Amino acid sequence: MSSILEAVEDALHAAEQEQSGLGRRVEDVLARAAVTIGNGTDEYLEREPLDSHHQDLFSAEIANGQRRLKELATTITHFKFLKAATLSRFPDYRSSAPNN
């Protein structure tokens, strides 16, 4: 039982760490994209081709990051449910590790 819960905890911890790091990365890319887009109302009409290319790259990176964040949120929810379900099935189980 201990090894099962430990594996679930490890997977949950890894997913939460990835979610945290990826969230920061997506925020950084959003900030960089905002800087390169400019603030003129007609900026998109007069944008240099290189700037348009960078905007396309930023858009793809943002979309991929947001998709993965959504997947991670679902995965984390599943791991938490799995942990709770396992503990509810074995109410007499006491972990040797703190915070469980």
Side-chain angles (χ1 to χ4, degrees), residues 19-89:
Q19 183 183 45
S20 176
L22 183 58
R24 287 190 303 272
R25 173 78 174 138
V26 168
E27 288 174 15
D28 179 57
V29 174
L30 283 167
R32 286 187 287 141
V35 168
T36 63
I37 201 164
N39 60 1
T41 55
D42 61 349
E43 178 72 25
Y44 69 96
L45 295 174
E46 301 173 7
R47 188 177 299 143
E48 294 292 324
L50 183 59
D51 290 339
S52 290
H53 175 69
H54 286 142
Q55 278 304 125
D56 292 343
L57 293 175
F58 286 141
S59 294
E61 191 169 347
I62 291 165
N64 287 336
Q66 289 173 334
R67 177 193 48 77
R68 180 64 181 149
L69 284 171
K70 186 176 178 181
E71 290 172 359
L72 285 168
T74 300
T75 299
I76 289 168
T77 301
H78 290 167
F79 284 139
K80 286 180 178 179
F81 174 78
L82 182 59
K83 178 182 175 183
T86 303
L87 290 173
S88 72
R89 299 282 187 213

Side-chain angles (χ1 to χ4, degrees), residues 4-15:
I4 292 170
L5 283 174
E6 185 177 319
V8 171
E9 278 291 327
D10 289 347
L12 175 60
H13 184 67

